[in-house]
Amino acid sequence: MPRRAMRASAAVSTALAEDGRTVVRRLASAPPLTLRQTGPCTVHLVSTAAGPLGGDRLALDLYVAPRTTLELGSVAATLVLPGDGESELLVTARVGAGATLRFAPEPTVLAAGCAHRLLVRLDLEPDADVRWREEIVFGRHGEAPGRCHARFDATLDGLPLLRQEFTVGDPGLDASPAVYGTARCVGTTFMTASAKEPALGDGVAVLPLAGSGTLVSALASDAVELRTRLEWGERTAAPPHLGDGAVAYGGG
């Protein structure tokens, strides 16, 4: 009997308490998107089912109220598996004026044979502070990656801020030394903080956007190296204050 594709939605929203604290007002889950509050303004995704598998449609909605803070991560990597058709994860986020969002889940691993779409729609109000990191690993150890089409759309005060898309798992693109070369991972960090100027490191680039904000892009041979390169780019775009323990990075 064919497997029935999964449809699941999850949501997080914050509110501002009278004393100025952030309150997680709503936490709605549906397997495999299960959310757990792990701190005053921190939420983690906990996988409670395999996938996504081919044909699954998953949606995650985030609302960060003005002058509140939300940090969202995950406890483990997401393994995208093959199945009947294309899977999809749609993440929609609205970040209010003066609000802070840190989005940094563990990597997405594209198992051989999968077909996946990763869509992000980020809507920012003025003075929102966002750091949004995405990491993609090209298959499990020793296997070719499945296919993934990733698209990221960010708007600020109703105007386009960043439009980006790329594909992993297309043989014509993957084989080109001008695209991924020998890399096994790709990652990006979108930041509302604006870097003063472009910067290059080993396998990482920091690019100020035309309006405001910064895009950090990196390639690496493994997930650990990718994370190191992205964090270097993030620190380069928005250097920490003295005493925050900044670490120099010269590449891998």
Side-chain angles (χ1 to χ4, degrees):
M1 182 176 179
R3 171 185 174 274
R4 179 177 295 178
M6 188 176 296
R7 302 288 186 271
S9 298
V12 184
S13 66
T14 64
L16 188 67
E18 292 184 359
D19 61 2
R21 293 180 300 109
T22 294
V23 175
V24 177
R25 183 180 64 183
R26 184 185 183 208
L27 206 61
S29 302
L33 297 176
T34 301
L35 297 163
R36 295 287 184 266
Q37 186 172 354
T38 54
C41 54
T42 304
V43 173
H44 277 81
L45 277 164
V46 180
S47 180
T48 51
L53 283 75
D56 291 350
R57 294 290 184 271
L58 309 179
L60 174 62
D61 183 74
L62 311 176
Y63 174 64
V64 189
R67 295 184 290 130
T68 66
T69 297
L70 176 64
E71 298 179 358
L72 194 143
S74 62
V75 299
T78 296
L79 178 61
V80 184
L81 296 168
D84 185 13
E86 186 178 55
S87 58
E88 178 182 285
L89 172 61
L90 170 62
V91 184
T92 303
R94 295 165 292 152
V95 186
T100 299
L101 172 62
R102 298 290 181 262
F103 183 89
E106 295 302 305
T108 296
V109 181
L110 305 175
C114 76
H116 186 56
R117 283 188 296 172
L118 176 59
L119 308 174
V120 175
R121 297 171 185 166
L122 177 60
D123 185 13
L124 309 174
E125 293 184 10
D127 298 322
D129 179 10
V130 173
R131 182 174 297 181
W132 189 290
R133 183 192 297 158
E134 294 280 2
E135 301 166 320
I136 296 178
V137 178
F138 302 171
R140 293 168 289 193
H141 180 71
E143 72 176 7
R147 184 180 176 90
C148 177
H149 177 80
R151 181 173 176 92
F152 185 95
D153 293 295
T155 60
L156 174 59
D157 202 20
L159 298 176
L161 181 60
L162 175 64
R163 300 284 188 263
Q164 174 174 273
E165 57 185 319
F166 61 88
T167 299
V168 175
D170 183 316
L173 293 175
D174 293 356
S176 171
V179 183
Y180 301 120
T182 60
R184 291 285 298 171
C185 306
V186 62
T188 59
T189 300
F190 164 76
M191 306 170 62
T192 51
S194 294
K196 293 182 179 180
E197 58 185 8
L200 293 175
D202 188 4
V204 58
V206 178
L207 179 65
L209 301 179
S212 62
T214 306
L215 181 66
V216 179
S217 302
L219 294 170
S221 59
D222 58 51
V224 173
E225 184 178 58
L226 180 69
R227 179 73 57 85
T228 299
R229 291 177 172 180
L230 287 173
E231 289 177 344
W232 176 85
E234 293 163 10
R235 292 194 302 270
T236 300
H241 298 294
L242 291 176
D244 286 353
V247 177
Y249 169 61

